[in-house]
Each structure stands twice: as structure tokens, then as C-alpha cells.
Amino acid sequence: MNPLRILVLGAGGTGGYFGGRLAESGADVTFVVREARRKTLSEQGLRIESPFGDAQLAVKTVVASELRPVYDAVILTCKAYDLDAAIATIAPALAPDGYVLPFLNGKAHMDVLNEKFGPHRVLGGTAKIQATVTPTGAIRQFNDWRTLVFGEQSGEITGRVRALAALFEAAKGVEVFAVADIVQRMWEKLVHLSTAAAMTCLMRSNVGEIVRTPHGREIFLDQLRCGAAIAAANGYAPSAAFMKSWEETFSQQDSQYSTSMLRDIERGGQTEAEHILGYMLDKAVNSAIACNTLLLAYTHVKAYEQRRAAGRLP
């Protein structure tokens, strides 16, 4: 069999880390990037700063205009608000039997990708990592989170899922699970993420700072249970193990855990509020589930976006 040809959209925190680890292990990986990022990667290599070992790698890159339909797997790690542009970029790159594996926040992107490529050409996936691109262009991993979970939307464990999982298993600093219940896992990830984003953005603080306040833990866990109720109303009630794990995480007074949405706000950037908080709010309203904290957090971030659009940020 010919080696799997993998295209990674972007070389940011998530795509750069996981794609870089694949390239480090010898997999056939190409990054589609903009010209400025291509120049940095050409001059400095793809640099990873990680608890699992630093790396400086010479990697293959292309720009969008150079893409041809030769890639077996396209790994999508863009922000949700860039999805339309990302689809336009990757569509010419898929081989006739190629497929897309998105690691985006939320679930709203799945409907868009299914409509464009067909469900049989779109895997479901979640990524658990805290990483960012530093001002010098390196990818810095903040903690030991390095988990990928993916699978067919149909629940079948196919040859292509097993083949891709085997490549990730051979990579340093990656924990991978090929699963038969990826839609369930994506709903659980959305419950966790919407809870964390709602609370950290609303309070402009990390988990530990919130939990150390007199009522922070109580509000945190109430929002977690609200998210679980929304998922359950849509047929995907989170497991008891999932709830126990995140109840513990959202109770840790020394936790430094923050969210990318809060980091976006702190740097004055665009947010994924509509795709995470707005999506969950719509599902709550449709199911007649009370969600006052979620509503307040969503309104808070949307008001920030109004202020940003008017050029009135500090």
C-alpha cells in the first residue's frame, strides 16, 4: 500500500502540534499555509516546545493555489468562523477517495462539512490540547493534554480509521483513540467546552481563580449540569464518568485552565461564541431548558464583539 498522504490546514497550535508530531515520526505530511507562515517555516522549521520533547522540523508546505487532488486525508483545525474559507481551500486537495477529519470546536461545522462533501467523506473528531503559536512562531504546548479522538459518523471502525490511528500511535507526544461513538464524544466535548468558555469569558478568569471565589464552584457546576441537560435533550446524555471528571476539574482551586475563547478576547480577537455558546443556547431554547448563565455569557461575549467592531477596545 502507498503511504497515506496527509494534508494539514494551517500550522497553528492544534494543527502544527499534531501534524508536526506526525511529520516527526516519518509520516507523509504537508501543511497548507499562507505565504508569511510558509516563509517562517522555511527559514526556521516547524518548532515545537512541549513537555513531551521539543522539536525543530523541516516540513513540506504548500499555499492554496498549489493544491492538487492527491491527499488521502485532510486534517482541518481552523477556527469555526473561518470554516467557509477553509472548505474552499481544501476542496481541490482531496483525492477521489479522500476524507476530511475536522478538529474544530463545537458541532455546528459537521452539518456544513456533511453538506459539502457527504457524510461518508467526513469523520468526526475531537482534540484535547492547550497550545498556541508564540510571537517567534514556535508552537508551545502548555500542559500534558495531547489527546485525539476520532471515528466514522456511522459508528463503524473502518480501515481508514485504523490506518490513521496507527500513524498517530507511532508519533511522540500524542494519545489517540479510534472510537465507534464519536458523535457522543463530540457532544460531551461541547458540554465541557461550552461550560469552560461561558465561565472563563464571563468572569475573565481561569478556572482556579473562579473556583476560589465564594460562589464560583457552585455556578461552574450548575452550568456543567445545564450543558449536560442540553446534550441529553438531543439524545446524547453525558456519561457518569464524564460528569465526575469535569466536576473535579471545575472544582480545582489551583487550576490554571483557561480557554482559547478567553485568550481571543484578551488579545482583542474574533471569537467562536456563535459556534459554541450560541449553538448551545439555541439547543437549550428549542428544548425549553433554563440556561441563565449561558445566556448571560453569550450576551457578554456578543457585546464584546460589538465593542470590537466599533473599534472601542482598550
Side-chain angles (χ1 to χ4, degrees):
M1 294 179 62
N2 294 325
L4 200 65
R5 298 190 68 177
I6 300 170
L7 182 71
V8 180
L9 180 77
T14 300
Y17 180 82
F18 289 113
R21 290 306 192 188
L22 280 178
E24 183 183 29
S25 71
D28 186 349
V29 178
T30 301
F31 295 88
V32 55
V33 292
R34 296 185 176 93
E35 285 288 0
R37 183 64 167 152
R38 188 184 205 182
K39 183 174 186 293
T40 300
L41 293 174
S42 175
E43 294 173 350
Q44 304 177 15
L46 179 68
R47 292 175 293 136
I48 297 174
E49 300 171 358
S50 165
F52 300 96
D54 295 348
Q56 186 166 5
L57 311 166
V59 294
K60 294 189 292 185
T61 62
V62 294
V63 294
S65 62
E66 297 171 343
L67 287 172
R68 300 294 181 267
V70 297
Y71 296 97
D72 304 297
V74 176
I75 297 176
L76 199 56
T77 61
C78 65
K79 290 287 192 178
Y81 48 73
D82 286 331
L83 181 59
D84 289 343
I87 289 173
T89 296
I90 66 170
L94 276 175
D97 293 326
Y99 60 89
V100 180
L101 174 54
F103 291 118
L104 277 69
N105 290 324
K107 274 196 79 278
H109 61 281
M110 293 299 291
D111 291 338
V112 180
L113 291 169
N114 285 340
E115 182 177 352
K116 173 63 179 179
F117 299 107
H120 63 290
R121 300 189 74 186
V122 180
L123 303 187
T126 67
K128 184 179 180 182
I129 187 171
Q130 277 201 296
T132 192
V133 178
T134 69
T136 64
I139 296 162
R140 180 173 298 157
Q141 185 182 14
F142 294 117
N143 56 21
D144 63 355
W145 290 1
R146 77 274 189 202
T147 303
L148 296 178
V149 182
F150 57 83
E152 302 282 358
Q153 296 181 68
S154 66
E156 183 182 1
I157 301 296
T158 58
R160 65 186 185 182
V161 167
R162 287 193 295 268
L164 188 59
L167 288 179
F168 277 114
E169 286 168 356
K172 181 197 302 184
V174 178
E175 184 179 52
V176 62
F177 299 94
V179 301
D181 61 344
I182 190 58
V183 178
Q184 172 75 27
R185 303 294 187 103
M186 292 180 72
W187 265 106
E188 289 182 342
K189 170 76 180 289
L190 182 55
V191 170
H192 137 230
L193 183 59
S194 62
T195 299
M199 291 298 293
T200 59
C201 291
L202 185 59
M203 307 302 176
R204 301 291 178 94
S205 302
N206 65 33
V207 170
E209 291 163 341
I210 297 168
V211 172
R212 290 195 296 271
T213 67
H215 305 288
R217 177 179 179 273
E218 175 187 349
I219 300 171
F220 231 131
L221 298 188
D222 180 72
Q223 179 52 41
L224 176 65
R225 293 171 190 132
C226 173
I230 296 168
N234 285 272
Y236 294 94
S239 69
F242 169 89
M243 293 300 291
K244 182 175 185 294
S245 172
W246 287 103
E247 285 170 358
E248 292 172 354
T249 297
F250 294 145
S251 299
Q252 293 173 358
Q253 293 193 6
D254 61 347
S255 173
Q256 299 294 309
Y257 175 34
S258 185
T259 60
S260 60
M261 193 181 299
L262 176 59
R263 290 192 290 274
D264 289 338
I265 290 173
E266 289 175 335
R267 67 177 177 80
Q270 192 172 355
T271 77
E272 294 180 305
E274 201 62 57
H275 311 88
I276 300 170
L277 304 181
Y279 181 88
M280 286 293 273
L281 184 61
D282 286 345
K283 296 294 185 183
V285 170
N286 291 340
S287 300
I289 294 172
C291 53
N292 290 338
T293 299
L294 179 61
L295 176 61
L296 186 60
Y298 172 75
T299 304
H300 177 78
V301 180
K302 295 301 284 187
Y304 155 82
E305 291 181 350
Q306 291 288 321
R307 188 177 180 90
R308 176 177 180 269
R312 297 184 54 245
L313 295 181

